[in-house]
Amino acid sequence: MVVFISPVVLYGYQFGIGLWSEHSKWAELGSFLSGVYSPVIALFAFIVLLVQASWQSKINKYQYDISYISANRDVIDYYIEKMEQYLEKKNEQGVTISQELVQKYYAKSEDALQLERDQISNYITAFHPKVSGIWSALYPILNAMGSNSEFPYEHNYLGSIQKIETILTLPVCVAIDKVYFCINRRVNPSETLFWEGGKNITSGST
């Protein structure tokens, strides 16, 4: 407000302001006001445009983030449903695949897995390829979401992890993580999402 009033006050103080009868006086005042206020108004308009552009950029990013996360959650839900359906199937001994995986791999230590890595990898690839396939498809999606610590990425990442753990149960997730470790040579135990959470349970029962 001061920026807009000050030029008029200064002009009036220096030259006086009144209802002049001479056209030239009004022309001089108009020329002065135009010269002063045009740059000020242009600067003000530029600032407004910058603010609008900044807000629009934030809105666009938020909309993209929500759309990206929503699409990923749909894919995650699809894979979880397919994994749950497969794990509920029974093998020739009448044991569900989830029970089989937990019995065989949940309590195995890293050293034991290293010794039996090829054997486990060949067995899963031959008899339960869906387990490794679905898990291998889930990991890149979860890791991509987890790599961004900003809201809403981290919030949805943690929610997805909790959802998977709740539906499949932690022992099953740990067992599949260990199978995933055996099949994928580039994976370290520290990079798994569920095995690390179950280490305190499994470390004493090799």
Side-chain angles (χ1 to χ4, degrees), residues 68-79:
Y68 175 83
I69 290 171
S70 177
N72 279 340
R73 292 196 65 160
D74 288 343
V75 175
I76 290 171
D77 289 345
Y78 171 80
Y79 282 134

Side-chain angles (χ1 to χ4, degrees), residues 28-49:
E28 291 172 0
L29 176 61
S31 177
F32 170 78
L33 295 179
S34 176
V36 171
Y37 285 123
S38 292
V40 173
I41 293 173
L43 177 61
F44 180 74
F46 179 70
I47 293 173
V48 170
L49 287 174

Side-chain angles (χ1 to χ4, degrees), residues 29-200:
L29 176 61
S31 177
F32 170 78
L33 295 179
S34 176
V36 171
Y37 285 123
S38 292
V40 173
I41 293 173
L43 177 61
F44 180 74
F46 179 70
I47 293 173
V48 170
L49 287 174
L50 284 180
V51 172
Q52 288 179 336
S54 176
W55 277 106
Q56 188 61 49
S57 176
K58 291 178 181 179
I59 292 172
N60 291 341
K61 182 181 182 303
Y62 179 77
Q63 291 175 339
Y64 170 82
D65 290 343
I66 293 299
S67 176
Y68 175 83
I69 290 171
S70 177
N72 279 340
R73 292 196 65 160
D74 288 343
V75 175
I76 290 171
D77 289 345
Y78 171 80
Y79 282 134
I80 294 174
E81 181 182 358
K82 293 300 181 183
M83 180 69 87
E84 185 182 23
Q85 291 173 355
Y86 182 75
L87 293 175
E88 288 175 351
K89 294 181 179 180
K90 293 184 179 181
N91 58 21
E92 296 178 354
Q93 288 73 38
V95 178
T96 63
I97 295 173
S98 61
Q99 292 174 325
E100 177 189 347
L101 294 175
V102 171
Q103 291 170 2
K104 286 184 176 180
Y105 310 117
Y106 175 65
K108 282 191 178 294
S109 67
E110 182 181 350
D111 290 339
L113 291 171
Q114 290 282 12
L115 291 173
E116 303 174 33
R117 197 165 195 171
D118 291 336
Q119 179 183 348
I120 294 171
S121 177
N122 292 335
Y123 175 79
I124 295 296
T125 302
F127 294 98
H128 302 302
K130 276 193 174 181
V131 172
S132 60
I134 293 174
W135 216 242
S136 296
L138 270 175
Y139 254 80
I141 301 171
L142 293 170
N143 286 334
M145 291 177 65
S147 64
N148 194 330
S149 59
E150 295 180 356
F151 181 86
Y153 285 90
E154 185 176 27
H155 173 76
N156 282 275
Y157 165 73
L158 295 175
S160 296
I161 294 295
Q162 186 175 17
K163 186 174 186 178
I164 294 171
E165 183 179 313
T166 301
I167 293 175
L168 301 182
T169 74
L170 179 60
V172 172
C173 292
V174 171
I176 299 176
D177 259 355
K178 292 183 176 182
V179 167
Y180 180 65
F181 163 75
C182 290
I183 293 174
N184 193 333
R185 303 279 175 169
R186 296 172 297 178
V187 174
N188 294 318
S190 60
E191 297 171 340
T192 58
L193 300 176
F194 303 95
W195 181 359
E196 284 298 302
K199 269 193 172 181
N200 292 333

